[in-house]
Amino acid sequence: LANLLFLPNAYLVLASGIVALLVSYYAFRYTRLIESGVLKFISFGFMLLGIGLISQSSVLILTSFNVAGIVERQIIFFEATLFYLVLQTIAYFAIALGYGRGAYGRQFAKDLKGDKAVVSSLFLPILLFSPFEQLRPRFFLSNPVFLFHELVSIILLGFIAFQGALIYSSSKNRLSLTVLLGFVLILIAHIGQFASSLLVSQNIFLVGNVIQFIGFLVLLVFLVWSGRIGTAGKV
Amino acid sequence: VEGLVQPEKSRSRLKIYFDILSTIEVEGNAKPTRILYKANLSYDRLTKYLEELVGKGLVQEFSATETRYYTISDKGKELLTEIRKAEAFLAGFGLSF
């Protein structure tokens, strides 16, 4: 079943990446109108997420067609996954920083800004587990690097979802509820991917990707909705 | 009760533009006194902002029976729509401008 769903799964990852880039584009577009550090963080975070997802999906698509013998050359697969994981972690960190700044004010970001150790610590496992040669045979399921990045992503997404819940509880705004729902689904997806890595289950991994896609679909609904509400003249 | 009274934030230039433009859009042909009342601005500040908006081509000024009127231009309508879209997007992330 996992082999049968491999290619559709790659397309779902690609679609998720495109939605992430769309969110990034709109956040950037509005920073030209409204000078907002929060929007810049959100735009930057979703841009990294989009690039990571699209690069991962490209490799998955190439693999499913075995273009240029990519299946035999596992190093590309491994490095692409690693590239995606690093981008994903930095992306969620940027979004969490922006969201936290939105909820708690500028001081929150200032407190974290100087703490370069937080960001650099995210790359520590990669250095610890070098050289890559030792990791390649185990690929990414049950791989410590994958597990670490997934765990960091879960913590960051938990933080983001909590901020979203706080924002919704104070605003009772349907738009903030949509964003919250999107992030909660992406969080559930990452918990699924973490579990799939522990259990070495490709099926759970694929289910996680489907939930992630639904999460990004909800964010797409938010984009369309905010555009329509803006045009109609009522927020 | 702590936090019940929020400190008053000063309106951004964009928010003031938005208040003036949306008032003119609703009124059609708006008198300065009407804009002044709806946008909650002093006469001096309103004059300054209206000059800026006319200069940017967002608002058109015309006189009839010794009274000045202001009407929103197409460029002004486009900006108003864009600000509303941005406002809706920001609301999703718990922000306002």
Side-chain angles (χ1 to χ4, degrees), chain A residues 5-207:
Chain A
L5 295 174
F6 192 84
L7 189 59
N9 172 65
Y11 290 132
L12 289 187
V13 176
L14 180 66
S16 300
I18 291 167
V19 174
L21 287 182
L22 273 174
V23 176
S24 171
Y25 164 73
Y26 279 100
F28 180 75
R29 180 172 154 168
Y30 297 137
T31 56
R32 286 186 297 178
L33 200 64
I34 300 156
E35 188 60 38
S36 164
V38 179
L39 279 182
K40 283 177 188 165
F41 274 110
I42 290 167
S43 175
F44 180 68
F46 275 99
M47 181 194 69
L48 292 182
L49 206 55
I51 292 169
L53 285 164
I54 289 171
S55 67
Q56 197 203 23
S57 69
S58 307
V59 174
L60 289 173
I61 291 165
L62 290 174
T63 306
S64 65
F65 293 112
N66 195 19
V67 176
I70 195 170
V71 176
E72 288 77 36
R73 296 154 71 186
Q74 280 189 12
I75 188 164
I76 298 168
F77 207 114
F78 176 78
E79 284 176 348
T81 307
L82 197 64
F83 175 67
Y84 162 65
L85 287 173
V86 172
L87 282 187
Q88 175 187 270
T89 310
I90 300 170
Y92 288 138
F93 185 75
I95 295 167
L97 204 62
Y99 224 15
R101 196 173 170 178
Y104 294 116
R106 286 169 186 272
Q107 194 55 43
F108 176 80
K110 278 182 187 167
D111 291 344
L112 282 176
K113 211 172 181 178
D115 195 0
K116 287 176 183 163
V118 176
V119 182
S120 55
S121 65
L122 302 175
F123 299 96
L124 196 62
I126 298 166
L127 298 172
L128 284 176
F129 291 106
S130 294
F132 295 155
E133 290 293 328
Q134 293 169 358
L135 294 168
R136 213 181 300 155
R138 284 191 285 173
F139 188 44
F140 64 89
L141 289 181
S142 82
N143 184 304
V145 174
F146 182 82
L147 281 170
F148 174 81
H149 279 280
E150 280 302 324
L151 195 61
V152 172
S153 294
I154 288 166
I155 293 165
L156 290 172
L157 277 164
F159 175 79
I160 291 167
F162 185 68
Q163 299 313 307
L166 287 180
I167 287 166
Y168 174 66
S169 68
S170 61
S171 69
K172 299 286 179 203
N173 183 305
R174 282 181 301 171
L175 290 161
S176 59
L177 179 65
T178 317
V179 173
L180 169 64
L181 185 65
F183 280 126
V184 167
L185 284 166
I186 296 169
L187 170 65
I188 293 167
H190 280 282
I191 292 169
Q193 286 168 348
F194 184 74
S196 78
S197 186
L198 284 176
L199 303 167
V200 196
S201 165
Q202 279 192 8
N203 290 340
I204 299 175
F205 187 78
L206 293 179
V207 171

Side-chain angles (χ1 to χ4, degrees), chain B:
Chain B
V1 181
E2 201 179 329
L4 191 66
V5 181
Q6 297 294 323
E8 199 174 309
K9 283 199 287 185
S10 58
R11 271 190 295 176
S12 65
R13 180 179 291 265
L14 189 72
K15 179 71 178 159
I16 294 169
Y17 278 7
F18 177 74
D19 290 340
I20 294 172
L21 288 172
S22 46
T23 301
I24 297 173
E25 190 190 42
V26 171
E27 295 287 320
N29 299 324
K31 287 182 185 177
T33 46
R34 188 74 184 155
I35 306 167
L36 186 139
Y37 171 71
K38 286 271 186 181
N40 193 24
L41 287 165
S42 67
Y43 183 78
D44 288 347
R45 290 185 78 199
L46 177 70
T47 308
K48 180 191 153 213
Y49 285 118
L50 281 174
E51 276 175 12
E52 283 179 18
L53 290 171
V54 171
K56 289 173 194 286
L58 300 165
V59 159
Q60 287 157 351
E61 186 184 25
F62 66 95
S63 297
T65 59
E66 294 181 358
T67 309
R68 273 187 301 140
Y69 287 93
Y70 291 91
T71 183
I72 191 165
S73 66
D74 289 341
K75 196 178 166 187
K77 282 179 185 168
E78 279 173 27
L79 179 69
L80 209 50
T81 304
E82 195 67 7
I83 296 173
R84 283 180 180 139
K85 284 180 183 177
E87 191 183 20
F89 186 89
L90 287 170
F93 291 94
L95 304 164
S96 58
F97 66 94

